[in-house]
Every structure is written in structure tokens, then in C-alpha cells.
Amino acid sequence: YAEGQRRYVESLSSYARQFLARLNKPEVDYIKGIPPAVAIEQKVNTRNPHSTVGTSTEVYDYMKLLFARIGKTFSPVSGVEVKKHSVNDVTDYFMGLEEGTRLLLLFPIHIPKGRKVADHLNILIQQGYSRVLSKGEVHNMEDLVAESTPKMDKNSFVVLDRLVVRNDDDTLAQLADSAETAFIEGHNECALFVYAGEKPILQRFSKRFEADGISFVEPTENTFSFNNPVGACPTCQGFGNVIGYDKDLIIPDKSRSVYEDAVVCWKGEKMSQYKKEFIIGSRPYGFPVHTPYYKLTPEQKDLLWKGKGAAPGINEFFRYVESKQYKIQYRVMLARYRGKTTCPDCDGTRLRKEASYIKVAGKTMLDLVNLPVETLKVFFDELVLTEQEMAIAKRLLVEIKNRLSFLCDVGLGYLTINRQSNTLSGGESQRINLATSLGSSLVGSMYILDEPSIGLHSRDTENLVSVLKKLRALGNSVIVVEHDEDIIRHADYIIDIGPLAGRNGGEVVFEGTLDELINANSLTTGYLKGTEKIEVPKPRRKWNNYIEILGASENNLKNIDVKFPLNVMTVVTGVSGSGKSSLVKKILFPALKKLKQGVGEKTGSHATVQGDINLVEEIEFVDQNPIGKSSRSNPVTYLKAYDEIRALFANQKTAKTNLLKPAHFSFNVDGGRCDECQGEGYITVEMQFMADVTLVCESCGGKRFKDEILDIKVHKKSIYDILELTVNEAIDFFGNSKVAQEKKIAAKLMPLQEVGLGYIKLGQSSNTLSGGESQRVKLAFFLSKERAAPTLFIFDEPTTGLHFHDIKTLLKAFNALIKRGHSVLIIEHNPEVIKCADWIIDLGPEGGNEGGQIVAEGTPEEVAKHKKSHTGKYLKEKLSP
């Protein structure tokens, strides 16, 4: 990939090429026939709160253009379409009238400030006008001037022309000419007064974009952009959230009724009077004070929050408390309930209300962004437009439909395009990148994908394979780094590298087709042939204690009650989009965090958490996010082993002679690190419109430290040499020593080897680790802590980036945690892990709106017998001997 990029840069401007000589060429002798390369990395999604599924895939950008070009604005008052009229609109209306109909062509009178009515009428008389229409009657201007106070209302018009409807060119030409004059004289407004039927009709025309006395903004693409001040909601500035009062803090236990103190700020001797006032005041509206909060209808919840008549709502209570902020107890109270909440003005849609006046085929942008992608695709497929609109929108619709199709093809049809990118799982964000690349429809390129099957249920992998085959059919080369058995079996050509990891790997063990692979002898082939396998544990662990979530209804969850067993290995499964992340990540984790530590992220919608909560003292969520924000962060600093290594170097005789402290061996503080690259080992050059280029630091040659620091050695190795060792090499290096300090370092590195990360280098930057590797470094960190406090560990797809052989090692680490009295809960699609679970919670049956229910619960054997479970179908194959 790097060489493909380098050769591409050779074709660019001289500005870009000046860095070429400094770009490292890959360590190969020769590469032949390499096309331009596109890499889709296994990086966890962006953390930018402004990024959404729609902006990432460019679907939203094309939709903005579509609405700006063919969107029609409707008045919120009368529902009438707002138009900028032209002379053609006047003539079209005229032609639609019955022949022989009499009418007047008018323009409104605009009297400048400070000028008298009579003076203005005199000016109009001098310009050649003689009649005025006022209060439905025509008056002579000279007669009006003669009166001391002319009888005119605000809606008075000057009569410019009198016409009779005739279908001939002369009449039309006369009308068109007069209408143009009327628009000029009437400041872009004119009218026709039609004598039809009993009562004459006044038909107004305006070149201004207005209706019902409201001036509307003409739609542009920025009207729909929440990243632009023109379109962003002014209250939340396009984020969809504001700092307000967190509903979860005000009503933490949603299984309680208002009478049972569901509203915690209405507890206590003084504050309970507000509860009494609400209960008495809400009687006329039939509010059920004894019904649990989660069972209330949206209208009843609205009454509780906003109040009505004599029933003061929660919002009014907080307005009262805000008015008393000069008292400290009220300030403390307000702080207790503050948190992120959905923006009240845009209701989380991020756009100004003006955007909701503009529609395409009767739908606003706000309606469409909250539809699942598969429903949105149906809307665009069935969209009927006029010939003129079609001519404008044709190209845009092609792009929108293509991208929506690709999102459905990669198994993301259940997402909405308004979904924030930072709430997606690792697998979802990678498939979004894949759909974006597919949308660009490149041909003759080389696509390099790093484990695209992450986060995909076995059922959805088949769709992914068909997408990859489509790419191949377009004339692209598709190279996939993958461990998924289904994808390996579909490959045209397989290259197996090994035989093991780290220094025991790096050789081509096999290359050829699947049929040829069966005769080869490698770890991969062993698992494919069935000669090697992960054994199914017998018996399953039994459990009595559990934590239960009641009334889970976040996103697509259908008000379900779920029990999570303790002291065993529980796996939450289900097809992509079935609600696994909503249940575990959005409800269970933050709810327990708030109960145990008093703080936590915004909790998803649920009634309450109950069960043996006291048996868990801490909760750890081990996800695929990078282990450190700094590029200088690495596995040894995360595991605190680097502190020992620095102390060891500072203890050497030469270091003591030169008065070097442990801090001199750190690349995070000035002193011993290279001043040029600040201990990074490389310098990043911004390439304007291209990806940034990283170049090896010329001052230290990538060694990160000054020469005097590199002169200090332990067993003939400098600090740089130690950081270049793999974990396995470092354990051998320090473990064979007789020095206690060195043995301590080896012991601290052991957990990395236990989770199958023996091949990574000690100094490897954390931003070069894949999502799965970052997750296993965190797991190693927890294994290294000999903590007695019972902890609930939640893992989000820990098999990411793992070969069958490594999964075996990982399962041993999980069992080690359970033996120490901890509980393990895993969100997973990999059948090898699911079959080893003690308890399975299978959600579904489908993704999106069709999901969110418990399909099956029980041991793997019980779930495998369940006919409606997609997971059970694939599990049955793994459990059969």
C-alpha cells in the first residue's frame, strides 16, 4: 500500500514531490505491477461529535444539494407553497381565467417615511396614474387628494391597467409589459383584481420569497448544513445536545410512579409540596399518578415535564429554582441535575427550524435523516418528480441511491444517516469507510481491507463477500487481511503467513487456492480442516447471582427485561443492528457506573436496574478505542512497565556518573529525548489536500533519544534497542537475568504474552495498534492488576484481529479473570467464542426496527435448538462433533 501511495505521489505537483526523496521506500527489492492503492484500515471511528453516518458516506452532502436545488418551501402558517413569482406566473394565471373576465392590474402603494399621503398621491398623478383601489373600491386620485384625510387603508393599490381576458398575442404582450412595470413600481409586488362571481378576487404576486407576512430564506446547501452557522440550530450550534437538566438524573428509577417519588428533586419535606401541587393540579387531565414512569404515554410525560394549567411541571420547578440561585443550596441542587440533554429547539436534528419548511415529495430533511437507511432507499427509489425537477436532480439521485445501496449491501441498512459516528461500533465504522470507498466507484485500483468482517454476524458476512466480488468485477484487485473462516473460504487466492507470530513468523507458509490449502500444513489449515480446534467446555458454569435491566427501550430495543449472570462468561449476540450495543454500552454500563460511582455518561432509556448489584464493586468497559491519545503512548507505558525500565537504566554506573535520572530516559519530557522530534522518532509533514506524510527524524535517525542517553547500556542494549524488542524477546531478555529488578520487568510484561500480544514491540506507538490489539493491551492491564475487588468486565468484540489460535489464548485469559472472582460479559459474533460461553443472550430477530427483542437465552446448546435464532443456526455447526 505504501509503495502504491508513493508512486501515486510521483505524479503530483513539485510541492508534493519535494518530500518524496525523504519518503521511506518499503524494505523490498522489487515490486511489480502495483496499481493505485486504497486502504480501509481497522481504525475505530472518529470522535468528532459533528460527524454522522450521512456526512461520512457523503449521502448527506448530496441530499443537501438535492433539497437546495428542487426543495419547495411551505409556509408553516397556512401550508401554502412559498414562491418567487415572475411575469410568467402573472400571464399563466391570466390565461387560466374564463374569456371575457374583467380585471385590474395593480401595484401596492409604498409611502416613504415622513411623506404625507396627499403628497405621495400628487407624485403618482404626475407620473401618469389616476386611480387607486382601496377597501375593494376604485377611487379617483384627484378626488382623494381633495379630501382633508384621504380614505385609504394600508392595503391600497395603484391601478396600472384594465384588461379583459382574451386569448390573443396582443393582450398577452400588453399584460406582460404592464406586469413588468407593476413589479418595478410595487417594489417587487403586484396584484390582479379579478371581477369573477359575486365577490371580486385579489390575487397577489411577489418577486420576494415570502408568504403569510413571513420572509423566508431561499434554500441553499448551507441551509441544511449543521457544520455551518447558516444552517446550524443556534441553540445547540449543530451538536443536537445542550447542557440542560438530565432526565436520567431527575428520574433515575423509571419503574417508580410520580406518587412513589420517581421525580427525585421533589423529595424531602420542603420540595414534596411541588409533588403535591402537581398531583392535585393534574387531576382534571386524568394524569395517572400511580403508574410507573416508563409506562406513561408521550402526552402524559409531556404534561409531567411541561405542566398545564394548575399543574406545575418539572421545567417550571427548575425555572423557580434558577430564580433562587443567590442561595447556595439552590445552586448545589441545580448542579446535581445538570447534564447533556437533547436540544429543545431542534429536537436533536441539529438544524434551524427554517430547514423544516423545505420539502421534497412532501418530506423535510428532518423527516429523512431519522429514517433507517433501508427505508430511505425505498423513498428515493419510489421518488416521483416532474420533468424539470428530474433534469436537475438526476445526477444527484444516482449518487444518493448508489451510496444507500452500498450501505445496505455491507449490512448497515438499520442505521439512520443522522447517527453520530462516535456512537458506532468498530465494525460499523469500518463498513461505513468501505461503503464510502465503494461509492467512489474506482476501477483498476487495489483495495486493501483490514478485517472488514469485524462486527458482522455470520449471516451478514455473505453480503460482505458479494460486495467484495462486485469490487473485483469492476476490475479492481481486492486484498483482504482476514481471520474470518467464511471470507477465507470465498477467496480466489490465499497467502498464509507464519508459522507463528513475532520473530517466529514472517514466512510465507502457503500460497494458492482453497483446494490446495487443504493439503498444506499450517495453523490456519489445521483449523480449516478440523484437525485443530477450540474445544467446547464441558460442563458449563452454573450461576445464581445476576444483574437485571428492566424496560430497556433505547434505540430499537422493545421494552425488554434482561438478566446478566455474574461470575460466569456471558455473551450477547445477534445480527448487526439487533440492539447489542444499545443494551450493553448505552444502558447497562452507564447505569451501573452511575449506581457505583455516582457519575457516568448519559444512560439509555430503561426503567431500572436491580439484582445483586452489591456483588460487583467496579465496572470496566474494554472497547477498541486507542489506549492513549498521544502518539508517544505505547503498551509498556500503559502497563507501567516502562517506569521500571527507566529506573533500571538510571541505576547503571555510567548513568549515575553523568547524573542521569529516570526522567532522562523518558520521551515525554525534555532532557534526554531528541529535541528535534520531541521523542516521537519521526516528523509529520502536512500535505494540504492529501494525507499527512511522516518522515524519520534526521536529527536522531528515529532513535528518539540524544546520543549521550543511547550510550547507557544494559547487557549491551541501549534504551532504543530495548524499545525495539518484541514482548516475547523482552521477556526472554529480562526473565533470564538474576537481577530482581529485571525479573520484575519480565513479570510486568507477562500479561501481554498471555493475551497473545507477544509479537508487538515494547515501544510501538499506540496509534499503530489495531482496535483488537488496543483492546487486548487493556485486558493485559487488568490481568496485571492483582485486584481482589469483584469487577464486571465488558468486552466489545475482543476477537477483532485474532486468528483461531489466538482466540484459544484469549479464552484462557477470560477464564483466568472468572477464576479470580470477576464476571465477564462479551458482545461478540465469533462462533468460536459464543460456543464457549456459559450463558448466551441472543437479540434480534433482525437489525434496526425489526430487532430489539430477546430471541433466545440459555446455554449454547439451548440456543442452538432455537429455530428463529440466526446465531443458533451457525452455533449448531460448531457444537456438532
Side-chain angles (χ1 to χ4, degrees):
Y1 166 68
E3 178 62 5
Q5 284 287 78
R6 200 185 69 77
R7 293 190 189 182
Y8 167 67
V9 175
E10 281 182 343
S11 66
L12 297 179
S13 66
S14 52
Y15 168 77
R17 288 206 311 276
Q18 67 177 312
F19 303 105
L20 264 184
R22 295 166 64 189
L23 263 180
N24 281 351
K25 291 190 178 183
E27 290 182 34
V28 292
D29 297 332
Y30 179 57
I31 300 180
K32 181 186 175 187
I34 193 168
V38 178
I40 301 174
E41 296 178 48
Q42 188 224 99
K43 280 277 169 70
V44 175
N45 42 45
T46 169
R47 293 187 177 189
N48 179 358
H50 263 146
S51 172
T52 66
V53 170
T55 56
S56 305
T57 54
E58 299 174 352
V59 171
Y60 192 70
D61 299 321
Y62 287 108
M63 283 174 65
K64 285 193 300 188
L65 280 169
L66 182 77
F67 270 77
R69 303 267 171 86
I70 66 166
K72 292 176 180 174
T73 305
F74 292 86
S75 164
V77 178
S78 62
V80 171
E81 186 184 339
V82 184
K83 278 185 174 179
K84 273 179 82 171
H85 292 115
S86 64
V87 172
N88 285 348
D89 292 308
V90 180
T91 56
D92 288 348
Y93 181 82
F94 178 83
M95 292 289 291
L97 295 170
E98 207 174 304
E99 196 150 329
T101 306
R102 292 183 304 114
L103 49 85
L104 304 175
L105 178 64
L106 319 163
F107 65 82
I109 297 176
H110 294 284
I111 301 173
K113 203 173 181 182
R115 187 184 288 175
K116 290 180 181 175
V117 175
D119 293 344
H120 190 70
L121 289 175
N122 274 323
I123 291 167
L124 288 169
I125 291 166
Q126 288 166 16
Q127 288 175 339
Y129 301 111
S130 58
R131 288 180 180 77
V132 170
L133 180 81
S134 181
K135 296 177 184 175
E137 292 180 16
V138 178
H139 303 274
N140 197 304
M141 279 191 197
E142 289 180 344
D143 294 345
L144 291 172
V145 171
E147 295 174 14
S148 54
T149 51
K151 296 170 190 168
M152 281 172 59
D153 65 354
K154 288 178 183 175
N155 288 327
S156 295
F157 295 86
V158 174
V159 179
L160 189 139
D161 207 347
R162 289 185 292 183
L163 297 151
V164 177
V165 177
R166 287 194 189 90
N167 195 2
D168 61 63
D169 293 346
D170 291 344
T171 309
L172 279 176
Q174 182 190 341
L175 174 66
D177 196 36
S178 300
E180 193 60 68
T181 308
F183 274 127
I184 294 165
E185 294 289 350
H187 298 201
N188 286 327
E189 286 181 80
C190 76
L192 290 176
F193 192 67
V194 184
Y195 292 99
E198 292 178 17
K199 197 175 180 185
I201 300 164
L202 181 71
Q203 180 64 40
R204 304 182 77 144
F205 299 92
S206 173
K207 279 190 176 179
R208 293 198 198 108
F209 204 59
E210 59 186 21
D212 301 321
I214 306 168
S215 285
F216 291 88
V217 180
E218 285 191 56
T220 64
E221 51 266 41
N222 286 338
T223 310
F224 304 98
S225 173
F226 43 77
N227 288 326
N228 189 304
V230 174
C233 164
T235 308
C236 65
Q237 297 178 345
F239 286 98
N241 290 319
V242 288
I243 295 295
Y245 297 108
D246 190 338
K247 291 186 177 184
D248 294 320
L249 294 173
I250 296 164
I251 305 177
D253 187 348
K254 294 172 182 62
S255 64
R256 291 187 175 202
S257 65
V258 170
Y259 188 79
E260 294 168 327
D261 290 324
V263 185
V264 289
C265 52
W266 286 352
K267 279 168 101 171
E269 197 180 325
K270 193 174 180 188
M271 295 303 171
S272 61
Q273 73 183 65
Y274 296 99
K275 181 178 91 174
K276 287 173 191 167
E277 274 181 46
F278 177 79
I279 289 171
I280 295 163
S282 64
R283 269 182 202 157
Y285 310 110
F287 184 87
V289 292
H290 295 290
T291 302
Y293 178 80
Y294 76 96
K295 287 187 177 175
L296 296 178
T297 65
E299 292 75 25
Q300 288 164 346
K301 286 179 183 174
D302 216 41
L303 175 63
L304 175 61
W305 285 93
K306 295 179 181 174
K308 196 175 183 183
I314 298 171
N315 293 351
E316 196 175 317
F317 165 75
F318 277 105
R319 278 195 290 273
Y320 167 76
V321 175
E322 282 171 0
S323 70
K324 300 280 183 186
Q325 279 196 68
Y326 56 86
K327 294 184 179 176
I328 185 137
Q329 66 266 36
Y330 285 108
R331 287 206 298 280
V332 169
M333 187 177 182
L334 286 173
R336 193 182 301 154
Y337 299 110
R338 279 198 186 280
K340 267 192 179 178
T341 179
T342 304
C343 172
D345 285 2
C346 68
D347 206 18
T349 57
R350 305 152 169 255
L351 297 172
R352 311 178 161 257
K353 65 176 187 296
E354 285 83 350
S356 65
Y357 306 152
I358 301 154
K359 296 180 181 180
V360 168
K363 294 277 185 188
T364 67
M365 180 69 96
L366 315 187
D367 296 333
L368 296 181
V369 294
N370 290 320
L371 291 176
V373 165
E374 52 202 1
T375 314
L376 189 61
K377 182 176 176 293
V378 172
F379 170 79
F380 281 110
D381 286 342
E382 296 175 354
L383 186 63
V384 178
L385 299 175
T386 65
E387 203 174 312
Q388 186 191 358
E389 287 172 340
M390 200 64 208
I392 298 167
K394 192 177 177 183
R395 187 76 188 86
L396 296 171
L397 287 173
V398 169
E399 294 293 341
I400 291 170
K401 286 177 186 175
N402 274 351
R403 282 165 167 74
L404 292 176
S405 295
F406 286 130
L407 279 171
C408 291
D409 288 346
V410 295
L412 295 175
Y414 57 88
L415 293 177
T416 63
I417 63 166
N418 203 31
R419 175 88 172 260
Q420 277 189 312
S421 296
N422 59 10
T423 65
L424 299 171
S425 68
E428 284 171 333
S429 60
Q430 197 188 4
R431 278 177 285 139
I432 290 248
N433 293 340
L434 179 57
T436 308
S437 293
L438 290 169
S440 60
S441 303
L442 294 177
V443 292
S445 300
M446 176 169 69
Y447 280 91
I448 297 176
L449 293 100
D450 190 4
E451 296 198 71
S453 67
I454 301 165
L456 269 189
H457 191 273
S458 305
R459 188 200 65 168
D460 301 316
T461 309
E462 293 163 18
N463 293 345
L464 178 67
V465 170
S466 65
V467 169
L468 298 179
K469 286 182 176 173
K470 271 186 200 168
L471 268 181
R472 180 191 65 187
L474 285 170
N476 296 302
S477 307
V478 183
I479 298 172
V480 186
V481 179
E482 189 54 90
H483 297 105
D484 185 87
E485 189 176 332
D486 294 341
I487 293 183
I488 295 172
R489 290 186 182 279
H490 277 101
D492 299 320
Y493 195 77
I494 298 164
I495 300 167
D496 191 26
I497 292 181
L500 297 171
R503 61 180 173 180
N504 298 322
E507 293 176 33
V508 176
V509 181
F510 166 81
E511 51 181 322
T513 63
L514 181 70
D515 296 337
E516 295 165 356
L517 177 75
I518 301 302
N519 303 317
N521 187 22
S522 75
L523 270 174
T524 309
T525 54
Y527 283 97
L528 288 174
K529 286 188 287 192
T531 52
E532 289 268 352
K533 58 181 169 191
I534 294 167
E535 294 298 332
V536 177
K538 302 271 186 203
R540 310 283 177 188
R541 298 182 189 91
K542 296 280 182 270
W543 55 275
N544 294 316
N545 304 320
Y546 60 85
I547 291 171
E548 186 173 19
I549 297 273
L550 293 179
S553 53
E554 178 71 5
N555 289 337
N556 64 340
L557 294 172
K558 307 288 191 293
N559 202 14
I560 56 174
D561 302 340
V562 193
K563 283 182 180 173
F564 296 96
L566 297 177
N567 307 113
V568 296
M569 186 165 109
T570 309
V571 177
V572 180
T573 66
V575 296
S576 310
S578 56
K580 302 181 297 296
S581 294
S582 300
L583 178 63
V584 178
K585 217 171 172 179
K586 288 280 191 73
I587 299 177
L588 179 71
F589 175 61
L592 287 177
K593 203 92 170 143
K594 277 184 183 174
L595 284 171
K596 286 288 163 191
Q597 298 170 10
V599 291
E601 290 183 15
K602 187 172 169 60
T603 313
S605 179
H606 70 290
T608 187
V609 183
Q610 62 183 35
D612 306 296
I613 298 165
N614 297 333
L615 296 179
V616 173
E617 286 186 28
E618 292 186 31
I619 302 96
E620 294 291 350
F621 190 88
V622 188
D623 59 13
Q624 296 168 13
N625 286 333
I627 54 173
K629 289 176 184 171
S630 159
S631 54
R632 285 188 288 271
S633 158
N634 57 38
V636 276
T637 54
Y638 192 78
L639 283 169
K640 306 282 187 272
Y642 194 47
D643 298 347
E644 303 288 341
I645 294 171
R646 289 189 292 129
L648 175 68
F649 272 88
N651 266 344
Q652 302 304 306
K653 279 184 184 175
T654 334
K656 286 179 176 176
T657 309
N658 292 332
L659 303 175
L660 296 177
K661 299 277 186 291
H664 285 93
F665 297 91
S666 166
F667 34 71
N668 284 323
V669 290
D670 285 332
R673 70 179 183 184
C674 167
D675 295 326
E676 181 78 21
C677 64
Q678 307 286 299
E680 298 242 12
Y682 56 83
I683 289 166
T684 304
V685 179
E686 289 184 12
M687 294 288 281
Q688 310 302 339
F689 297 106
M690 283 175 56
D692 295 347
V693 169
T694 51
L695 307 167
V696 173
C697 171
E698 291 179 347
S699 179
C700 66
K703 293 196 171 176
R704 309 170 82 165
F705 293 95
K706 294 175 181 170
D707 288 345
E708 57 266 32
I709 302 297
L710 294 169
D711 287 342
I712 313 294
K713 299 201 171 161
V714 171
H715 304 306
K716 300 182 181 177
K717 286 193 185 289
S718 67
I719 186 79
Y720 169 72
D721 296 330
I722 297 290
L723 290 172
E724 283 295 293
L725 293 176
T726 64
V727 170
N728 289 341
E729 288 168 345
I731 289 172
D732 291 347
F733 180 78
F734 291 116
N736 295 330
S737 168
K738 290 175 183 173
V739 181
Q741 194 176 13
E742 292 181 26
K743 280 192 175 297
K744 195 176 176 185
I745 295 169
K748 285 214 167 190
L749 294 173
M750 280 301 289
L752 283 171
Q753 195 177 51
E754 285 171 28
V755 295
L757 289 177
Y759 59 88
I760 61 173
K761 289 182 180 178
L762 299 190
Q764 190 169 337
S765 175
S766 65
N767 59 12
T768 65
L769 297 174
S770 68
E773 286 169 337
S774 296
Q775 198 173 24
R776 278 176 286 139
V777 170
K778 292 175 193 175
L779 173 58
F781 171 69
F782 294 123
L783 285 171
S784 68
K785 292 169 87 172
E786 290 291 337
R787 58 161 107 188
T791 304
L792 170 63
F793 287 99
I794 301 172
F795 291 92
D796 186 8
E797 299 198 52
T799 59
T800 302
L802 286 190
H803 187 272
F804 305 103
H805 197 61
D806 299 317
I807 294 173
K808 230 180 197 173
T809 313
L810 181 72
L811 288 166
K812 283 179 194 165
F814 287 152
N815 289 327
L817 285 174
I818 294 167
K819 270 184 188 166
R820 292 184 193 179
H822 304 307
S823 305
V824 174
L825 174 63
I826 307 167
I827 301 173
E828 189 54 87
H829 293 109
N830 191 304
E832 301 293 345
V833 172
I834 299 171
K835 75 179 188 188
C836 295
D838 299 306
W839 191 255
I840 294 174
I841 300 163
D842 188 32
L843 297 181
E846 301 297 328
N849 291 334
E850 301 295 313
Q853 296 175 13
I854 295 177
V855 178
E857 283 181 289
T859 62
E861 287 77 12
E862 289 165 351
V863 172
K865 289 174 190 167
H866 207 286
K867 288 177 182 171
K868 286 187 180 174
S869 167
H870 290 296
T871 306
K873 179 181 148 193
Y874 292 94
L875 201 50
K876 200 180 283 181
E877 298 167 16
K878 293 289 175 187
L879 292 173
S880 56

